[in-house]
Amino acid sequence: MQRAGRKVGALSLAFASLALMGQREPVLVPEVSQSRVEVRQGFTGANLLLYGAIFDPGAPRAGPDAPSPYDIVVVLKGPAEPIRLREKERIAGIWMNAGSSDFRSAPSFFAVASSRPVDEIVDARTAAIYELGLDFIQLSPTGQIEAREQARFAQGLVEMREREGLYKDNPGGVRISEGVLYQARIALPSNVTTGRYTAETFAIADRRVLASATADIEVVKAGLEGQVVFAAQRWSLFYGLGAVALSLMMGWVAGRSFARS
């Protein structure tokens, strides 16, 4: 409760500061329920609440049931990573690799929540500029491949990660109250990649993006797993030598056990 009170106070302070500065354009003030998510042994995922307010000095004060003049779209993206997507084909009764495509920077996690379906809020060009949907993810393919084949592999990557729960699209997932306050819930699955995530919020009216803001979320390994990762990064040489020594010792113990039996 104390933390929530501090965040509400921060929103009020931001509003007052903008009013004093004579701000005329709408401004987004975003917050997240967790700026740090710790992945421990037995981690089953996390539910994030992304919320905030739209400050518009030129708009009249809205009542509790007043409709908002804005639509809100929230895009949560995980760290980008290179990936090679392979296609298998059955040849002479055997499944074999038939083709592949490389992507230089595909987001490890991508989720979109919006107050309405995105195609009702903006046109396709605007959606592509701001990546407002699974159809508009910028995947940065590499290598020489026909455009049609490239698009097919890109669609395959999106569908694969949708099945894994890593790519999500939730039209209607943003609730707006009192015309200015918004909130959206996005679930992180247990198989998320650690690193820095960015939550981008867009305020849209008349099919134009009028304001945007970004909040960061850190997903980190904690507990024993976190200590192992820290040791591997801090003392990489000793960690590698220790891993080799442990493998040799385990092989020697296994060999002795089989020899006795």
Side-chain angles (χ1 to χ4, degrees):
M1 291 294 293
Q2 186 177 4
R3 184 178 179 184
R6 286 199 300 268
K7 290 184 175 181
V8 171
L11 289 175
S12 301
L13 180 60
F15 284 174
S17 300
L18 290 169
L20 291 173
M21 290 186 296
Q23 176 72 36
R24 301 305 302 168
E25 295 297 325
V27 174
L28 278 167
V29 184
E31 275 291 354
V32 293
S33 58
Q34 293 176 261
S35 59
R36 179 183 171 91
V37 176
E38 295 185 346
V39 178
R40 299 176 179 271
Q41 185 175 7
F43 176 73
T44 58
N47 286 306
L48 298 178
L49 174 64
L50 300 98
Y51 63 97
I54 316 156
F55 179 70
D56 188 347
R61 185 175 179 83
D65 300 323
S68 173
Y70 300 101
D71 280 294
I72 295 293
V73 181
V74 178
V75 180
L76 179 61
K77 290 189 285 189
E81 57 187 8
I83 184 173
R84 169 168 289 182
L85 196 65
R86 297 186 182 276
E87 182 180 48
K88 291 187 178 294
E89 184 177 342
R90 190 160 186 154
I91 301 174
I94 302 174
W95 287 102
M96 302 178 66
N97 291 329
S100 66
S101 181
D102 294 324
F103 297 92
R104 185 183 299 110
S105 60
S108 56
F109 181 87
F110 191 95
V112 179
S114 53
S115 53
R116 289 188 292 158
V118 169
D119 60 0
E120 297 179 7
I121 300 174
V122 293
D123 56 32
R125 180 176 179 275
T126 302
I129 292 172
Y130 295 101
E131 293 186 277
L132 304 182
L134 300 185
D135 293 334
F136 306 104
I137 301 176
Q138 298 175 11
L139 293 174
S140 301
T142 62
Q144 299 294 326
I145 186 173
E146 188 206 5
R148 185 178 298 178
E149 283 293 290
Q150 191 176 88
R152 188 168 64 85
F153 274 103
Q155 183 63 32
L157 173 60
V158 171
E159 292 176 355
M160 179 184 73
R161 291 198 162 171
E162 274 191 282
R163 291 193 297 269
E164 296 171 345
L166 295 172
Y167 284 8
K168 306 177 181 183
D169 197 345
N170 184 13
V174 176
R175 290 176 51 199
I176 303 176
S177 58
E178 300 185 23
V180 295
L181 304 176
Y182 71 88
Q183 67 173 24
R185 294 186 181 274
I186 295 178
L188 294 178
S190 59
N191 56 336
V192 291
T193 300
T194 56
R196 174 166 293 183
Y197 287 60
T198 58
E200 298 178 273
T201 305
F202 302 91
I204 302 169
D206 298 325
R207 304 183 78 81
R208 294 189 301 117
V209 175
L210 299 182
S212 64
T214 302
D216 292 331
I217 302 164
E218 289 285 344
V219 179
V220 298
K221 288 189 178 293
L224 179 60
E225 292 183 0
Q227 295 174 8
V228 171
V229 171
F230 176 79
Q233 294 174 343
R234 184 72 179 272
W235 302 291
S236 56
L237 176 60
F238 296 106
Y239 179 83
L241 292 174
V244 171
L246 180 62
S247 298
L248 292 174
M249 185 180 70
M250 293 298 291
W252 180 81
V253 170
R256 296 284 294 178
S257 300
F258 280 116
R260 288 177 182 175
S261 60

